[in-house]
Amino acid sequence: MPRQIRLNAFDMACPGHIQQGLWTHPDDQSTRMNDIRYWTEHAQRLERGLFDGIFFADILGVYDVFGGGPGDALRGGVQVPANDPSLIIPAMAAVTRHLGFGVTCNLTYEQPFLFARRMSTLDHLTGGRIGWNIVTGYLDSAARAMGMKGQIAHDDRYDLADEYMQLVYKLWEGSWDDDAVVMDRARGLFADPAKVRAIRHHGPQYSVEAMHLCAPSPQRTPVLYQAGSSDRGRRFAAEHAECIFLNGQKKDDVRAIIADIRARAAANGRSAESVQPFLGATLVIGRTEAEAQEKFAEYRRYVSSDGALVHAAASLGIDLARFDLDEPIETGRGEAIQSNIDIVAKAAGPRWTRRKLLEQMVLGSRQAPWVGSAERIADTLIGWSEETGVAGFNLSRTVSPAGIEDVIDLLIPVLQEKGAYKTSYAEGTYREKLFGHARLPAEHPAARHRGTA
Amino acid sequence: MPRQIRLNAFDMACPGHIQQGLWTHPDDQSTRMNDIRYWTEHAQRLERGLFDGIFFADILGVYDVFGGGPGDALRGGVQVPANDPSLIIPAMAAVTRHLGFGVTCNLTYEQPFLFARRMSTLDHLTGGRIGWNIVTGYLDSAARAMGMKGQIAHDDRYDLADEYMQLVYKLWEGSWDDDAVVMDRARGLFADPAKVRAIRHHGPQYSVEAMHLCAPSPQRTPVLYQAGSSDRGRRFAAEHAECIFLNGQKKDDVRAIIADIRARAAANGRSAESVQPFLGATLVIGRTEAEAQEKFAEYRRYVSSDGALVHAAASLGIDLARFDLDEPIETGRGEAIQSNIDIVAKAAGPRWTRRKLLEQMVLGSRQAPWVGSAERIADTLIGWSEETGVAGFNLSRTVSPAGIEDVIDLLIPVLQEKGAYKTSYAEGTYREKLFGHARLPAEHPAARHRGTA
């Protein structure tokens, strides 16, 4: 019996998410991003496919590194315009019962007190189905939008994030006891003040004296996701994250990252199973190999290479427009994105060029798709799951919703036949479905703040 | 033919909103505030009643003036716990087509760039049905939650708000031209960069250099509500607000406030009709007078006088717990809440006491209900509408949803018979329904920023 594979739909409220240009495909509906029914229909579709969750990426700025301005990002719809994903989730939650929701929220620019309330409200309204992808922001354009000259240095952002986490843990876990809400109509007693505490936090970055505004939500702390790949990012993940996002084309690389983060987590007293890795993947599936290849060839006709370069330039912090096709690209920009550069250099060879990069970006991004019959893709996923220990996959949007419909109609039945995919949802909250327990375990740093605010 | 009366349901995601204690009534369902279906059912109910909108109040702190702590607020569920209302709206929007949504958002603690995006996303997802109640916050407890020692001084808050408004106007009205989004699949052209501009704002409080992240939404700027009653508050309303909230028990007072704000608006070059006043009201309706009085007597058995005092103490900034029942209450606290004190003193007489205050708070707040047969309440509303020029009423929650069901089943048919209430929704956005035009008129300060960021 193979390991059970979890699937998240990886999405974003914008025209071009990972695979750039596919919004121009005649079947693509992602341009309906402003239409609430596009999202409620999609939620019902994903629940029909027993997807574990939908995961929303987000950015707070615009990609303006390529060509020194946002022109090409706008032309290609490269993650712009981008609506606030947290506001889509309540509508999707109202038409589903099991689907989980991961949402990327940048903590750098939001008051922790307000952010904690927003997540608790989402956890209540979804019945305990919310997850948070913790990001600290990497775009200068976002920083300038918030009145700063530029981005905070990479490691300083993580220090700020560590303090932020302590603060929101106090609000989520420490401010209200489990039995604080009495709701006794006969006595007119809504909550017992002896069981509600103001938190008092005075740190280098934040000062908060307040009780949390929300009553205890089903999960308290949302399921915590993180995607940092730098040394400091992995240290942060090993302390806080329950799920981690990985990207990688080689099993050895992915295995090594997982082993490293789990070893760090163990050093923090956490169990290996308390960190579940999800691998980013793009699938192009057919009933047969030939059908899959045909679909791939057809999708490729709509790819935007410029769009792919716009996104890559922002991730790398290098204006790729300034280089000729075969001119060697020197790296050099600071630690913020060094790990991205390392990955690219490793994949493309030390003397990497725009041409080499473009050759990799076969479907509009550096994430090369897995193309094949449902049977073969199922074996690929099972192989990765068995050999690397990834808990599941974040499936990047291709042509929407046709790509997800292929997963549901073609791939999932095969995975189910092979015993590698659930045939019904488990009951319980998002964390219960993923980990079997409702609350963060005692060894997680959030647990320290219970009952002690 | 009488004037058409507009109705908003005035609500809040908390147990006790205006009329304190009624959550203890056996029929009351407001304690289902964490359940998304409570809200979607309510949205459908309000749309069945052709309500113009639901209006969400909000606070970012807890009422801790009474007794010097939050104990009584927690015991009585007096606006605590309080979920984030903006996250409820998408779920309600997904199951309705016409209902408008007003949401109270305090601008003091949110980055204007992120807030502007949140409102634009809501305007998109609701199909142009969003309104914003602009507040600047008055609770010390909220300020302490955000790392400040106490609240910013009243008039300084409004100065900050003026700058904030200029900023969000630039983002909403100035950053994208109407025809910036091309969405041309054949050319792979999503947006025309020549028609999208970064705004550059460097003011005393805020610096923002950024293009708005959202494409133009149906209304651009949400319908603007404001409730300030102080001199500075009225000045702000006269410049920015399209709808104003009023409270008042006497027609002369209400007429005078409307005349004053409209005169100030006219001095700003705005037309009188560009400001629509809504009066707060609480209704207890029966098929007959006797049934209404019986219902009123029954509701009163569930009222919490302590809860009412907790709310009043916070609004007045006076710890009413420190005064004996008949001890004269001296005022004195600063301008922030002076207008509230003036109103209370005027209503209760110069030597006002806790007892006099309690005598006014017959249903759990200082807003005394109008009690009567549907016929009589209809005449009351029509009388107020005709004699004061209010555009409509914000109906405070009583027993939920029974109170709203009485409005829909008993009152509205009578209003319709009298020709004072619509029999179907008009088409169009919230602003089109309220004012007949989709965008803010040219004389509104937001219009200055069109095409010029």
Side-chain angles (χ1 to χ4, degrees):
Chain A
M1 184 82 161
R3 293 158 47 95
Q4 293 293 297
I5 288 172
R6 301 189 180 284
L7 294 181
N8 286 331
F10 190 35
D11 212 323
M12 187 167 167
C14 64
H17 177 206
I18 302 289
Q19 307 294 2
Q20 298 302 330
L22 294 184
W23 69 267
T24 61
H25 189 287
D27 293 342
D28 190 82
Q29 295 185 32
S30 61
T31 51
R32 285 176 62 206
M33 58 181 268
N34 295 327
D35 175 1
I36 203 164
R37 277 164 193 87
Y38 170 69
W39 297 108
T40 53
E41 289 162 17
H42 200 46
Q44 290 170 316
R45 181 180 297 122
L46 293 171
E47 192 151 283
R48 178 166 69 82
L50 306 177
F51 269 69
D52 292 275
I54 179 165
F55 213 93
F56 281 105
D58 193 29
I59 53 165
L60 300 180
V62 61
Y63 295 143
D64 57 4
V65 174
F66 188 84
D72 286 293
L74 284 161
R75 268 186 283 272
V78 182
Q79 301 198 352
V80 68
N83 288 342
D84 184 331
S86 64
L87 293 162
I88 296 170
I89 291 171
M92 297 180 88
V95 298
T96 53
R97 214 169 79 80
H98 290 289
L99 186 69
F101 300 97
V103 59
T104 299
C105 296
N106 187 326
L107 55 76
T108 315
Y109 310 111
E110 294 215 56
Q111 287 281 354
F113 177 75
L114 296 182
F115 174 71
R117 181 195 190 207
R118 196 167 290 140
M119 292 307 277
S120 294
T121 300
L122 283 173
D123 200 44
H124 277 305
L125 294 176
T126 62
R129 292 189 275 153
I130 198 76
W132 171 31
N133 180 26
I134 309 161
V135 301
T136 60
Y138 71 98
L139 295 178
D140 283 345
S141 61
R144 288 193 304 273
M146 316 292 172
M148 296 156 68
K149 290 233 160 32
Q151 196 48 262
I152 306 168
H154 178 265
D155 283 14
D156 292 348
R157 293 207 310 269
Y158 275 107
D159 292 344
L160 183 142
D162 270 325
E163 187 183 341
Y164 200 99
M165 295 308 292
Q166 298 309 319
L167 233 169
V168 292
Y169 290 153
K170 289 180 194 179
L171 289 162
W172 285 328
E173 303 279 341
S175 186
W176 294 62
D177 287 347
D178 285 338
D179 55 352
V181 174
V182 183
M183 227 187 268
D184 182 336
R185 290 178 195 240
R187 293 156 67 206
L189 183 66
F190 192 86
D192 180 352
K195 295 175 175 169
V196 185
R197 283 166 296 273
I199 75 157
R200 284 171 220 291
H201 175 103
H202 298 283
Q205 303 284 346
Y206 298 101
S207 281
V208 175
E209 292 197 14
M211 44 166 282
H212 191 38
L213 280 183
C214 298
S217 69
Q219 301 187 115
R220 300 271 192 151
T221 299
V223 173
L224 299 173
Y225 277 79
Q226 207 257 359
S229 53
S230 68
D231 179 69
R232 186 66 183 87
R234 289 186 197 189
R235 185 142 62 85
F236 184 89
E239 189 171 350
H240 300 283
E242 299 177 85
C243 301
I244 53 172
F245 283 145
L246 304 169
N247 281 300
Q249 305 286 340
K250 290 182 183 154
K251 285 177 187 163
D252 283 347
D253 294 348
V254 167
R255 206 163 24 222
I257 296 172
I258 294 172
D260 177 56
I261 293 178
R262 285 193 161 154
R264 293 171 190 240
N268 292 333
R270 301 177 63 198
S271 72
E273 300 71 39
S274 69
V275 181
Q276 291 201 7
F278 283 79
L279 187 73
T282 302
L283 308 180
V284 179
I285 308 166
R287 256 163 277 261
T288 61
E289 290 297 316
E291 191 185 273
Q293 291 298 337
E294 199 179 315
K295 194 174 293 180
F296 179 45
E298 200 234 330
Y299 281 9
R300 287 195 71 179
R301 287 206 296 275
Y302 299 94
V303 157
S304 165
S305 298
D306 275 358
L309 286 172
V310 164
H311 194 180
S315 305
L316 297 168
I318 298 170
D319 180 1
L320 298 168
R322 290 191 295 105
F323 295 86
D324 289 333
L325 257 186
D326 293 306
E327 186 182 349
I329 296 170
E330 327 90 54
T331 60
R333 179 117 183 265
E335 59 190 338
I337 39 184
Q338 192 57 51
S339 63
N340 283 326
I341 294 172
D342 292 345
I343 290 164
V344 170
K346 198 170 166 191
R351 280 180 65 83
W352 58 288
T353 61
R354 227 172 113 166
R355 186 191 301 276
K356 283 187 187 170
L357 200 55
L358 280 167
E359 281 165 1
Q360 286 175 22
M361 301 194 295
V362 289
L363 196 60
S365 87
R366 285 182 289 143
Q367 186 172 86
W370 292 335
V371 182
S373 68
E375 183 69 28
R376 188 144 77 91
I377 297 290
D379 287 339
T380 302
L381 298 188
I382 290 169
W384 273 81
S385 162
E386 298 286 327
E387 292 165 47
T388 67
V390 296
F393 300 87
N394 271 355
L395 302 184
S396 296
R397 194 172 83 194
T398 56
V399 173
S400 181
I404 286 291
E405 280 170 349
D406 285 345
V407 172
I408 296 170
D409 298 333
L410 306 181
L411 176 65
I412 285 175
V414 179
L415 285 173
Q416 286 171 326
E417 253 170 58
K418 293 175 188 279
Y421 195 79
K422 61 186 158 314
T423 53
S424 67
Y425 281 110
E427 287 299 317
T429 63
Y430 196 25
R431 181 174 287 113
E432 286 174 294
K433 287 185 172 78
L434 289 170
F435 294 95
H437 47 253
R439 304 282 299 277
L440 279 163
E443 65 270 21
H444 190 280
R448 261 175 248 145
H449 301 291
R450 286 182 189 142
T452 61
Chain B
M1 185 81 161
R3 293 156 48 94
Q4 293 292 297
I5 288 173
R6 300 189 181 282
L7 294 181
N8 285 331
F10 190 36
D11 211 323
M12 186 168 168
C14 65
H17 178 204
I18 302 288
Q19 306 295 2
Q20 298 302 329
L22 294 183
W23 67 267
T24 62
H25 190 286
D27 293 343
D28 190 82
Q29 294 185 32
S30 61
T31 52
R32 285 176 63 206
M33 57 182 267
N34 294 326
D35 175 1
I36 203 164
R37 277 164 192 87
Y38 171 69
W39 297 108
T40 52
E41 291 163 15
H42 200 46
Q44 289 169 316
R45 183 180 295 122
L46 293 171
E47 192 152 284
R48 177 167 69 81
L50 306 177
F51 269 69
D52 293 274
I54 179 166
F55 212 94
F56 281 106
D58 193 28
I59 53 164
L60 300 180
V62 60
Y63 294 143
D64 57 5
V65 174
F66 188 84
D72 286 292
L74 284 161
R75 267 186 282 273
V78 182
Q79 301 197 351
V80 65
N83 289 342
D84 184 332
S86 64
L87 293 163
I88 296 171
I89 290 170
M92 297 180 89
V95 298
T96 54
R97 216 169 78 80
H98 290 289
L99 186 68
F101 300 97
V103 59
T104 299
C105 295
N106 186 325
L107 54 78
T108 314
Y109 310 111
E110 294 215 55
Q111 288 279 355
F113 177 74
L114 296 183
F115 175 71
R117 180 195 190 207
R118 195 166 291 140
M119 293 308 278
S120 293
T121 300
L122 282 173
D123 201 44
H124 278 305
L125 293 177
T126 61
R129 292 189 274 153
I130 198 77
W132 171 31
N133 180 26
I134 309 161
V135 300
T136 60
Y138 69 99
L139 294 179
D140 282 346
S141 61
R144 287 193 306 272
M146 315 293 173
M148 297 157 67
K149 289 233 162 34
Q151 196 49 262
I152 307 167
H154 177 266
D155 284 15
D156 292 348
R157 293 207 310 270
Y158 274 107
D159 290 345
L160 182 142
D162 270 325
E163 186 182 343
Y164 200 99
M165 297 308 294
Q166 297 310 318
L167 233 168
V168 291
Y169 291 153
K170 289 181 194 178
L171 289 162
W172 285 328
E173 303 279 341
S175 186
W176 294 63
D177 287 348
D178 285 339
D179 55 352
V181 174
V182 183
M183 227 187 267
D184 181 336
R185 291 177 194 241
R187 294 156 67 205
L189 183 66
F190 192 86
D192 180 351
K195 294 176 176 169
V196 184
R197 284 165 295 271
I199 75 155
R200 285 172 219 290
H201 174 102
H202 297 284
Q205 303 283 347
Y206 298 100
S207 280
V208 175
E209 291 197 15
M211 44 165 282
H212 191 38
L213 281 183
C214 298
S217 69
Q219 301 188 113
R220 300 271 192 150
T221 298
V223 173
L224 298 172
Y225 276 80
Q226 207 257 0
S229 53
S230 68
D231 179 68
R232 185 65 182 86
R234 289 186 197 188
R235 186 141 62 83
F236 185 89
E239 186 170 354
H240 301 283
E242 300 177 82
C243 301
I244 53 173
F245 284 145
L246 304 170
N247 282 299
Q249 305 288 340
K250 291 185 185 153
K251 285 176 186 161
D252 283 347
D253 294 347
V254 168
R255 203 162 26 221
I257 296 172
I258 295 172
D260 177 55
I261 293 177
R262 285 194 160 152
R264 292 172 191 239
N268 291 334
R270 301 176 63 197
S271 73
E273 300 71 40
S274 69
V275 181
Q276 291 201 8
F278 283 77
L279 187 72
T282 303
L283 308 181
V284 179
I285 308 167
R287 256 163 277 261
T288 61
E289 290 297 318
E291 191 184 272
Q293 290 299 337
E294 199 179 316
K295 194 175 292 180
F296 179 43
E298 201 234 330
Y299 281 9
R300 287 195 71 180
R301 287 206 296 278
Y302 298 94
V303 157
S304 166
S305 299
D306 275 359
L309 286 173
V310 164
H311 194 178
S315 305
L316 298 168
I318 298 170
D319 181 1
L320 298 169
R322 290 192 296 104
F323 294 86
D324 290 332
L325 258 184
D326 293 305
E327 187 182 349
I329 297 170
E330 328 88 53
T331 62
R333 181 121 182 261
E335 58 189 340
I337 38 188
Q338 192 58 50
S339 62
N340 283 326
I341 294 173
D342 292 345
I343 290 165
V344 171
K346 196 169 167 191
R351 280 180 65 84
W352 59 291
T353 62
R354 226 170 113 167
R355 185 190 302 277
K356 283 187 186 168
L357 201 54
L358 280 167
E359 280 166 2
Q360 285 175 22
M361 302 195 294
V362 289
L363 197 59
S365 88
R366 284 182 288 144
Q367 187 172 85
W370 291 335
V371 182
S373 67
E375 184 68 28
R376 189 144 77 91
I377 298 291
D379 287 339
T380 302
L381 298 189
I382 291 168
W384 274 82
S385 163
E386 298 286 325
E387 291 164 49
T388 67
V390 296
F393 300 88
N394 271 355
L395 302 184
S396 298
R397 195 172 83 195
T398 56
V399 173
S400 179
I404 287 292
E405 280 169 351
D406 285 345
V407 171
I408 296 170
D409 298 333
L410 306 181
L411 175 65
I412 286 175
V414 180
L415 284 174
Q416 285 170 328
E417 255 170 58
K418 294 176 188 278
Y421 196 77
K422 61 187 158 313
T423 53
S424 67
Y425 281 109
E427 288 299 317
T429 63
Y430 196 25
R431 180 175 286 113
E432 285 174 296
K433 287 185 171 79
L434 288 171
F435 294 96
H437 48 252
R439 304 282 299 277
L440 279 162
E443 66 270 21
H444 190 280
R448 261 177 249 144
H449 301 291
R450 287 182 189 143
T452 61

